[in-house]
Amino acid sequence: MATNGSSSGAAVWAILRKECRSEWRTRYGLNAALLFSVTTLTVVSFAVGRLSDRTDLLSAMLWVVLLFAALASLSHAFVREVEGRTMTMLRLVASPTAIALGKLLFNLLFLVVLELVTVPLFLVLMGGPPPRWGPFLAVLALGSFALGTSSTLVGAVIAQTRGRGALFAGVSFPILLPVLAAAVSGTRAQWQGGAVGADLRLLASLGLALLGASLLLYDHLWED
Amino acid sequence: MSAAPAASPTLAVALEAEDLRHRYGRRVGLERVSFSLAGPGAVAITGPNGSGKTTLLRLIAGLLRPTEGRTRLRVGDAEVPPAERRRWIGLATPDLAFYEELSVAENLSFAAEARGLAAPAQAVAETLERVELAVRGADRVAALSSGMKQRLRLAFALLHRPAVLLLDEAGSHLDEAGRRLVNRVVAAARREALVLIATNDERETGLGDQRIELRGRGLGDPA
C-alpha cells in the first residue's frame, strides 16, 4: 500500500473537495441558503424601507439573516452522511478528526460564498451606512469562524442521535448565543465609530475554544 | 476476465480475538468468541442470522468498540491499534453506501485520495478493471443496479490492496458472472492478504481454508 506520507492532510483536502463537488452537483444547501437571504432581505426592504440610521437594528438583522440562511446546511453536514449511510465509507478512509476538519473547512467556505452574495445585497437593500471595512471584515471573518466551528461541532455531536432536530436547538442555543452577541456588538460598534477590539478577541477566543473542543471530541464521537 | 494489480510486498498478518463480545444496548450483537488467525490465507465466518458475523467484521475493522474482550491485529512487525486499522483493512459490507450524486470513479478517487494513496488515478483504474466495472466508471452511483453497487463495494475494499480483506455477504446481489468474479478476487487476494468471508452461502464458505462458526442464538436475542 503506497501512500503519499501525509494522509491526514490528504484526507482533509479530499473531504473538502468531495463536499464541494457534492454541493455543486446537488445544490443541497446553497440554493436554499441564498433563497432565504435574498427573499428575507427583499421582503424586509419592501416592508420597512431603508434603515440607514438604525445601525443597532441593522447589526442584529445582518447576523440573524446569516445565521438562519446558513444554519440548515451547516448543521446537516454530518446528518447527510448518516441519512445517506455514507458514514461507514467515510470512517473507513479517514480519521474522525480529518473528517471533521474537512467538514469544517467546507462549512467556512460555504459561509464565505453566502456572505459574498448576502452582505452586498444587505448593504444595498437595507441602506446600511458605508462600513469601516477593516473592522467590518474582521468581525465578519471571526464571527463566521466561530459560527462555523460551533455549528460543525454541534452537527457532529447530534448526527447519530434520535430526535436530532430538537437536540440541535437545545445544544446550539447556549453555544451560538455568545457568538452572535459578540458578532452583533462588533458590527454595531464599527458602524457607530466605537472600538471593536474586545468583540474581536471574544469571537476569536470562542472560535478557538470551540475548535479545540472539537479536536478533542471528534475521535470519540462515532464509537458505537 | 481481468488480472489483479501487480502484487504488493506480502506482509505476515496475525489477527486475534480474545473473549470478544458485543452488545447493542440490551441486545447481544456477538456472543463471546476467541480465535487466532494468520495470513495470508482465507477464512470463512458462518453462523445463523443475527449471530454476529457483521458485528465481528466491524469490530475487527475498528468501526465498533467491543463491549468486552479485544481484537489484536499485527501486520508485519507492528501492532495496529483499532483507530489505525482503516489503513490496513478493506471492508465490503451490505450497509456500505456511496455518494449517489458522484460517479463510480469519483467515489473511488475520493477514497483513494483520502487514504493518501500515492497514485490514486492508477489505483482507481486498476481496481475498476479488477472488478470489471471500468465501463461504468463515469456513471453516477444512483444509476447503478444493486449488483453493480456490490461490485463497487468490492472495488472500494480492494482499492488500497489491504493486508486484511473483510467480505460480508460478498456474493449478495451478484449474478453468476459476479460470483465467479468474487471467487477470482478471493483467490488473488488470499495470496497477499488475510481474507475473512462472512457468509452462509456454501459457494462462498468453500473459499476459506478454515471456518469460524459463530454459535450465537441468532436474531440478536436479548441477553
Side-chain angles (χ1 to χ4, degrees):
Chain A
M1 183 181 62
T3 64
N4 65 11
S6 60
S7 59
S8 290
V12 172
W13 177 238
I15 290 164
L16 174 61
R17 288 181 60 207
K18 186 272 294 175
E19 291 287 312
C20 291
R21 184 172 279 158
S22 287
E23 178 59 39
W24 183 251
R25 293 269 166 85
T26 62
R27 312 288 206 281
Y28 181 89
L30 197 57
N31 279 0
L34 290 176
L35 177 69
F36 178 88
S37 66
V38 171
T39 306
T40 305
L41 291 175
T42 307
V43 167
V44 173
S45 162
F46 275 120
V48 301
R50 296 163 71 85
L51 297 167
S52 310
D53 55 342
R54 293 297 307 273
T55 52
D56 51 347
L57 203 57
L58 284 174
S59 308
M61 192 171 161
L62 173 63
W63 283 100
V64 166
V65 169
L66 288 176
L67 173 72
F68 282 98
L71 207 53
S73 179
L74 300 187
S75 63
H76 275 72
F78 292 94
V79 173
R80 278 196 298 274
E81 304 287 355
V82 173
E83 292 179 348
R85 299 190 302 115
T86 47
M87 189 58 101
T88 299
M89 178 199 186
L90 260 186
R91 291 180 61 196
L92 286 168
V93 300
S95 69
T97 301
I99 294 169
L101 285 176
K103 296 274 186 189
L104 171 62
L105 288 178
F106 172 75
N107 278 349
L108 294 176
L109 189 61
F110 182 92
L111 277 168
V112 168
V113 173
L114 177 66
E115 286 164 0
L116 282 174
V117 175
T118 303
V119 172
L121 196 66
F122 175 87
L123 293 174
V124 170
L125 289 178
M126 303 312 298
R132 291 154 56 207
W133 284 107
F136 180 69
L137 291 178
V139 171
L140 202 58
L142 287 175
S144 302
F145 172 60
L147 183 59
T149 51
S150 57
S151 51
T152 306
L153 173 61
V154 175
V157 168
I158 62 143
Q160 297 196 89
T161 61
R162 293 192 197 95
R164 57 181 74 104
L167 196 59
F168 181 78
V171 175
S172 293
F173 182 72
I175 298 178
L176 286 176
L177 202 59
V179 172
L180 286 175
V184 169
S185 170
T187 307
R188 186 179 58 223
Q190 65 81 27
W191 260 320
Q192 296 178 345
V196 297
D199 294 313
L200 290 178
R201 281 193 294 275
L202 181 55
L203 285 172
S205 305
L206 286 168
L208 289 172
L210 288 165
L211 181 63
S214 304
L215 294 176
L216 290 173
L217 282 175
Y218 282 137
D219 275 338
H220 307 285
L221 279 179
W222 299 306
E223 288 175 348
D224 296 76
Chain B
M1 189 183 303
S2 53
S8 59
T10 301
L11 294 169
V13 178
L15 177 65
E16 292 177 23
E18 296 176 10
D19 294 325
L20 194 62
R21 190 164 189 255
H22 192 72
R23 288 171 175 235
Y24 296 102
R26 296 172 62 189
R27 291 202 173 272
V28 176
L30 175 69
E31 292 281 15
R32 197 175 304 280
V33 62
S34 298
F35 57 78
S36 181
L37 303 170
V43 179
I45 301 170
T46 61
N49 294 146
S51 59
K53 299 186 293 295
T54 300
T55 298
L56 177 58
L57 296 191
R58 292 177 73 86
L59 286 164
I60 293 169
L63 293 172
L64 288 175
R65 178 182 284 190
T67 310
E68 292 175 35
R70 64 174 178 165
T71 59
R72 297 181 68 184
L73 174 65
R74 290 187 71 82
V75 179
D77 295 330
E79 179 148 349
V80 184
E84 298 297 323
R85 290 197 184 157
R86 65 183 173 278
R87 298 176 194 280
W88 299 102
I89 282 180
L91 172 65
T93 180
D95 65 357
L96 184 63
F98 299 90
Y99 298 99
E100 303 244 317
E101 67 276 15
L102 304 184
S103 72
V104 168
E106 285 169 343
N107 269 281
L108 291 179
S109 294
F110 161 62
E113 289 164 12
R115 286 185 181 281
L117 300 192
Q122 185 186 349
V124 170
E126 287 179 355
T127 310
L128 284 175
E129 285 289 337
R130 194 173 177 184
V131 301
E132 299 166 4
L133 206 55
V135 293
R136 305 296 301 271
D139 291 354
R140 292 195 183 183
V141 169
L144 296 185
S145 67
S146 52
M148 291 297 159
K149 284 181 180 169
Q150 182 62 14
R151 287 175 185 245
L152 178 55
R153 292 187 188 101
L154 290 172
F156 173 78
L158 294 165
L159 184 63
H160 55 302
R161 291 153 73 185
V164 180
L165 179 62
L166 307 176
L167 301 178
D168 187 6
E169 308 288 358
S172 62
H173 303 297
L174 292 179
D175 56 15
E176 280 308 310
R179 289 184 173 278
R180 288 195 295 275
L181 169 72
V182 170
N183 291 353
R184 289 197 299 275
V185 163
V186 172
R190 63 185 293 166
R191 291 198 291 268
E192 58 185 52
L194 175 62
V195 184
L196 271 65
I197 310 152
T199 183
N200 281 320
D201 188 324
E202 282 301 324
R203 289 170 293 186
E204 293 171 18
T205 54
L207 298 172
D209 316 309
Q210 307 171 61
R211 181 185 294 208
I212 296 172
E213 186 162 356
L214 300 180
R215 299 183 187 280
R217 285 169 290 180
L219 300 175
D221 281 350

